[in-house]
Amino acid sequence: ESATSGGTITSRGAHIYSNGDLTVTQTVFTEGRAEEAAGVYVSGSDASFTDCSFSDHVAEATPANLERGGALFSQRGDPTPQGCILEHNSARDRGGHLTIRGNDTVLITDTQFSGGEAEELGGALFLENSTINLSNVSFNSNTSGILGGGIYATGTTILTSEMLTFDGNIAEVSGGGIF
């Protein structure tokens, strides 16, 4: 098992910034801070995360121009979290735990999202123009200041799911579970 703790960067990916294929197994990521993707930033590549944990990350740019993906941000890639735990991550804007944008094909299995916060959209997940498959995933106590306490999906996002659990997710305007 590996661990990476702390880390602040002024742009993206306090722990990992990747534009090539990435495989991460049994790794603990904690307390990253960045404008976007305070934990891991993935662009245009496949990224596999197995039995990993992401906690206490903050995407915190000012003014609100990035601030997406408290723990993980993926754009134009295919991330596959499996058996992961994401807890107490936050983003000022979108995707408290995870932001996925732009033609991704994503499979998330056996994963827990809890205590995520986004000031605007998607307390746990912000999904945009992507294909997402969720299996045996739980969303607990995530909050959003506007829409989608658990999940916010927009654009041409296609969401398929089986065995999902939503418990105690809150959106200030609408969609405590999914919007």
Side-chain angles (χ1 to χ4, degrees):
E1 184 170 298
S2 300
T4 176
S5 181
T8 301
I9 191 163
T10 58
S11 185
R12 299 174 172 139
H15 298 296
I16 297 174
Y17 181 105
S18 176
N19 57 9
D21 290 350
L22 177 66
T23 301
V24 179
T25 304
Q26 296 181 339
T27 301
V28 176
F29 297 95
T30 61
E31 300 178 354
R33 297 215 181 306
E35 290 179 351
E36 186 170 49
V40 177
Y41 181 90
V42 177
S43 180
S45 59
D46 294 342
S48 171
F49 300 92
T50 304
D51 300 325
C52 293
S53 131
F54 296 83
S55 63
D56 302 310
H57 293 88
V58 179
E60 59 183 356
T62 303
N65 61 350
L66 296 173
E67 305 97 20
R68 295 177 287 231
L72 176 62
F73 179 95
S74 176
Q75 181 168 284
R76 297 180 317 275
D78 296 329
T80 57
Q82 179 178 354
C84 294
I85 297 171
L86 293 90
E87 56 189 356
H88 308 293
N89 299 295
S90 64
R92 279 204 180 150
D93 188 15
R94 304 170 183 179
H97 291 299
L98 177 58
T99 292
I100 299 170
R101 297 183 62 200
N103 302 322
D104 293 308
T105 301
V106 179
L107 174 61
I108 301 174
T109 58
D110 304 318
T111 294
Q112 302 170 30
F113 296 94
S114 63
E117 278 186 56
E119 288 185 17
E120 293 187 13
L121 308 170
L125 304 181
F126 177 84
L127 312 171
E128 182 178 11
N129 301 328
S130 302
T131 299
I132 314 296
N133 300 297
L134 304 172
S135 177
N136 194 28
V137 177
S138 63
F139 298 88
N140 303 302
S141 303
N142 299 289
T143 61
S144 169
I146 300 176
L147 303 171
I151 300 171
Y152 179 87
T154 188
T156 59
T157 296
I158 298 168
L159 176 64
T160 59
S161 63
E162 64 180 359
M163 298 179 7
L164 297 185
T165 302
F166 292 90
D167 182 33
N169 298 287
I170 298 169
E172 296 297 322
V173 177
S174 187
I178 301 174
F179 184 90

